[in-house]
Amino acid sequence: MALYAPLASRRQTLLVKLETTPGQAETTGLLPLLAFDVSAGPSTDWSDRKGTGAYSGHNASGALGAHTGQIEFTTELRAADGGGALAPALAACLQACGALKTLEVYGQDIANARDAGARSLTIWREIDGVRKRLVGAAGNVVFRGAVGERVMLAFTFQGRWTAPTDETMDTTAPAGGPPMRLENGSFTLGGETIKIAEFEINWGATPALRADAAASGGVGCYDVLDFDPEISLDPEMDRVAGYDFYGLHLAGATAAVALSATAGDDTAALTMPAVNIKELNEGDRDGIATLEYAGACVNDGATPAVSLEMS
């Protein structure tokens, strides 16, 4: 056969679409997403077959398990073209991480209320004419940001891995406005305006494999049915009379955390109505006493533990 290598690693695209029926691949209308640090491949278990045999070592080929795969990438928090809404491809990714979309509010679906068309993705990962596919994909997202910098979202999706094929690459430009930055916004902890330099919010989605004997490779789809959300911050330390971090920790009390990022007239607000402090350690930022703050985001049965609102 004729070899085509080398392939140009710079020529790559990532496209996503919510599936009308979870686990049934979408073949048209996928939305391109501006992604960084993309990695995609099979995660299928392999079992050796070293049973009886007259010779040492492997006497027979091994056997693959369920045909699972994983895709990881980071992307910028961006509003849609025209503003006031989340970029469509990004909105689809959040819904496949268990977000219930209500207008332009994306909250954790703590009551399992999403319909079938907002639970899983078909994802195409293309490299210079080779298309990898993940079907029935669901996953988790981690929000990260530093003051004055872009807010980034790190996604990890699991789904049914299918054999790559040679295809004409999609050349559609990703939609969306400029990246949102942690500036000209706000941050409050327990209603107090406290200075931080960076944050990390782990959405905490835990996708589960829906095994299906009738599906290719035994994998129907993945679905998000539970969450374990956490937040990490580096707030400036204060006196007890100012903000009693350690007192709140000992009391097991919760405090609301709210922050916003902006890009022009667009604002993205992340809200955690009740955060329970898990760990407090001493820190230092260029001579400023800080705390290494880690908390669990708690829901009250009606309000999601973490939500994103675009305006």
Side-chain angles (χ1 to χ4, degrees), residues 98-190:
L100 180 64
K101 182 179 184 292
T102 306
L103 298 177
E104 279 304 314
V105 178
Y106 299 80
Q108 291 178 328
D109 185 10
I110 57 177
N112 195 24
R114 286 167 297 146
D115 63 30
R119 306 192 78 97
S120 61
L121 293 173
T122 292
I123 306 176
W124 291 354
R125 154 69 158 160
E126 298 179 324
I127 304 177
D128 200 3
V130 176
R131 180 177 296 165
K132 303 177 181 181
R133 297 176 181 85
L134 205 62
V135 179
N140 184 43
V141 60
V142 178
F143 297 80
R144 296 189 179 99
V147 172
E149 302 292 339
R150 297 172 297 166
V151 176
M152 304 297 292
L153 286 71
F155 286 97
T156 301
F157 285 105
Q158 295 170 280
R160 183 173 71 248
W161 179 258
T162 63
T165 56
D166 293 334
E167 305 285 350
T168 301
M169 288 185 64
D170 188 279
T171 57
T172 309
M180 311 199 84
R181 299 161 61 93
L182 199 58
E183 63 179 8
N184 297 321
S186 62
F187 174 83
T188 58
L189 175 59

Side-chain angles (χ1 to χ4, degrees), residues 7 14 34 51-52 91 152 166 170 188 206 229 231 239 245 293 310:
L7 302 183
L14 188 77
L34 179 63
T52 56
M152 304 297 292
D166 293 334
D170 188 279
T188 58
T206 53
I231 183 171
R239 293 183 176 177
F245 288 96
Y293 173 114
M310 300 295 296

Side-chain angles (χ1 to χ4, degrees), residues 78-88 175-177 266 310:
R78 302 169 73 200
D81 293 327
L86 197 60
D266 295 315
M310 300 295 296

